[in-house]
Amino acid sequence: MSSVGRVVHKRLLLPLSKSLCGHAVVCRQSRSISSSSRCMSIMPAWVIDRYGSNDVLRYTKNASFPVINYPNEVIVKVFAAGLNPIDVSMRGGYGANTLSMKRDPLNIKLSGSEFPLILGRDVSGVIMECGPDVKYFKEGDEVWAAIPPWKQGSLAEFVVLSGNEISLKPKSLSHVEAAAIPYVATTSWSALVNTGGLNKDNCASKRILILGGSGGVGTFATQMLKAWGAHVTVTCSHNAERFVGELGVDHVVDYTAGPAEEALSALEKFDLVLDNVGGDTERWALGLLKPWSGAKYVTLVTPFLQNTDRLGIADGMMQTAATVATKTIKHLVKGVHYRWGFFAPSGPALDEITDMVDAGQASRFIFLQISSF
């Protein structure tokens, strides 16, 4: 997953390129608002009215203006929006069953009630209105956030978010730069911290392997881990070796030069493996961990949403539970821990990431990608 695929400067949100891949950032210049957000009822946005290919994308000036429904929510005026591969997958219907259940847990609404759906998982902008229970933010604050996939996204003039999902934008970044980070950053944080149990206080003696180290999650995870003092090995293609080297990795394995499994097996074993690749890697990656030492394999490539799309919510969740339980037990008897990692929106995590970015520890891949575009 590349970190930045396209940067566009326009006065309003204008049509995106027909290639919605990688991580695109769309920016519009600030313009004055003649009326209070409380009085507005429509706004410009990119929407989809059904699942499909790029031709389902539709630009409209009549999208419903978002409203605050809960006292801890805020309305954010979008200055820059980011697209991730998950947006492309959602456009095609990926995860529709699970996300519809999340939006409507009591199944009250009719099928297709999620439409028109606004994509865009990253946002950087300014708070225009706060709910009565929002204590740590105020109107006019510059904020950034990773938007949960069950909520309306950032390809619009305004978006509503929970106060627990936003954070003050790093002062060292522009809105365009900031909109390239939150989703991959919070995904990395969730995988390494929430699932992997790592933090800045316990990483100094850890050996970490990142499979797929040149993508968005891989590059951000690398910078987090290096800032915390870990020894980091990554796999990537020959073309990306220089790129990941500039992030400070300790060892690079070029998977195009031969089987990565063989090259990695010759190295000292690892305390944690973060798998951004999936597929065949799961067959051999757990053998690279230190047995009986609490070592963990964390994969971000899981069949959960595919199962619920294919089998329905109930049967899909049962299939998922059976799969993860079987694999966990299978590897636990070998002395290693098998885990699935997931994106989790988190304002507090972004607070920590803001500090790292402003300290110059976790933003270099953004500038490298933008400068090479």
Side-chain angles (χ1 to χ4, degrees):
M1 176 168 56
S2 62
S3 54
V4 178
R6 188 171 184 84
V7 181
V8 183
H9 295 271
K10 296 293 179 183
R11 185 166 183 268
L12 293 174
L13 289 173
L14 295 179
L16 292 176
S17 163
K18 293 294 283 184
S19 62
L20 281 179
C21 60
H23 183 135
V25 178
V26 180
C27 176
R28 66 169 182 80
Q29 294 176 353
S30 174
R31 62 183 177 87
S32 60
I33 299 177
S34 58
S35 61
S36 166
S37 60
R38 297 174 178 84
C39 301
M40 300 176 69
S41 60
I42 59 174
M43 65 176 179
W46 273 96
V47 302
I48 62 172
D49 300 303
R50 66 187 189 281
Y51 297 119
S53 57
N54 275 356
D55 58 6
V56 302
L57 286 164
R58 176 173 64 89
Y59 179 72
T60 178
K61 295 183 179 180
N62 298 307
S64 297
F65 191 88
V67 296
I68 290 177
N69 292 310
Y70 300 97
N72 68 330
E73 291 182 330
V74 300
I75 295 178
V76 175
K77 181 180 180 182
V78 178
F79 276 58
L83 284 174
N84 288 268
I86 183 66
D87 290 296
V88 181
S89 298
M90 287 176 60
R91 180 209 60 200
Y94 175 70
N97 284 342
T98 300
L99 297 178
S100 293
M101 181 188 69
K102 181 67 176 178
R103 298 181 188 109
D104 182 25
L106 298 180
N107 198 27
I108 297 173
K109 300 177 183 178
L110 296 175
S111 176
S113 61
E114 69 268 31
F115 301 118
L117 181 64
I118 301 173
L119 301 173
R121 305 273 62 85
D122 291 300
V123 64
S124 182
V126 175
I127 293 178
M128 300 305 295
E129 186 176 340
C130 295
D133 285 356
V134 176
K135 306 299 182 185
Y136 300 104
F137 303 95
K138 64 183 184 302
E139 293 181 8
D141 281 347
E142 294 189 333
V143 296
W144 65 342
I147 304 173
W150 54 88
K151 290 189 174 184
Q152 293 285 40
S154 57
L155 294 186
E157 191 167 16
F158 296 90
V159 64
V160 166
L161 292 165
S162 164
N164 296 324
E165 295 165 349
I166 64 174
S167 174
L168 294 176
K169 179 183 74 68
K171 292 182 173 60
S172 59
L173 299 183
S174 68
H175 284 292
V176 175
E177 293 164 341
I181 295 180
Y183 191 81
V184 295
T186 50
T187 301
S188 301
W189 186 278
S190 178
L192 295 175
V193 179
N194 300 346
T195 306
L198 301 178
N199 57 62
K200 61 184 178 182
D201 297 320
N202 67 5
C203 265
S205 60
K206 295 289 194 300
R207 287 179 51 82
I208 314 297
L209 169 63
I210 300 176
L211 300 172
S214 60
V217 172
T219 51
F220 202 90
T222 294
Q223 291 174 97
M224 284 176 56
L225 293 167
K226 291 307 300 177
W228 293 346
H231 181 285
V232 179
T233 299
V234 305
T235 64
C236 66
S237 69
H238 174 72
N239 293 335
E241 282 192 72
R242 179 180 175 184
F243 171 51
V244 298
E246 294 189 42
L247 300 178
V249 299
D250 298 284
H251 192 81
V252 180
V253 172
D254 175 10
Y255 63 78
T256 64
E261 175 185 2
E262 295 180 7
L264 292 168
S265 297
L267 303 177
E268 183 181 342
K269 291 189 180 295
F270 298 92
D271 296 287
L272 184 139
V273 173
L274 175 60
D275 187 356
N276 301 299
V277 178
D280 187 57
T281 59
E282 190 173 304
R283 177 182 57 80
W284 49 262
L286 285 102
L288 304 174
L289 292 167
K290 299 175 182 177
W292 308 109
S293 64
K296 296 182 179 70
Y297 166 85
V298 180
T299 179
L300 290 169
V301 186
T302 76
F304 172 56
L305 293 181
Q306 290 178 336
N307 284 344
T308 54
D309 285 341
R310 181 171 55 91
L311 302 173
I313 295 296
D315 289 345
M317 292 184 72
M318 289 181 62
Q319 177 64 55
T320 299
T323 299
V324 70
T326 300
K327 291 185 176 183
T328 299
I329 294 172
K330 171 186 174 181
H331 295 293
L332 189 59
V333 298
K334 298 179 182 178
V336 295
H337 298 275
Y338 177 93
R339 298 286 186 269
W340 285 359
F342 297 93
F343 159 78
S346 174
L350 283 175
D351 289 342
E352 298 282 345
I353 293 163
T354 293
D355 291 340
M356 296 177 70
V357 169
D358 280 338
Q361 298 174 325
S363 61
R364 182 164 174 76
F365 82 101
I366 295 297
F367 307 130
L368 285 170
Q369 292 282 22
I370 289 178
S371 65
S372 64
F373 174 70

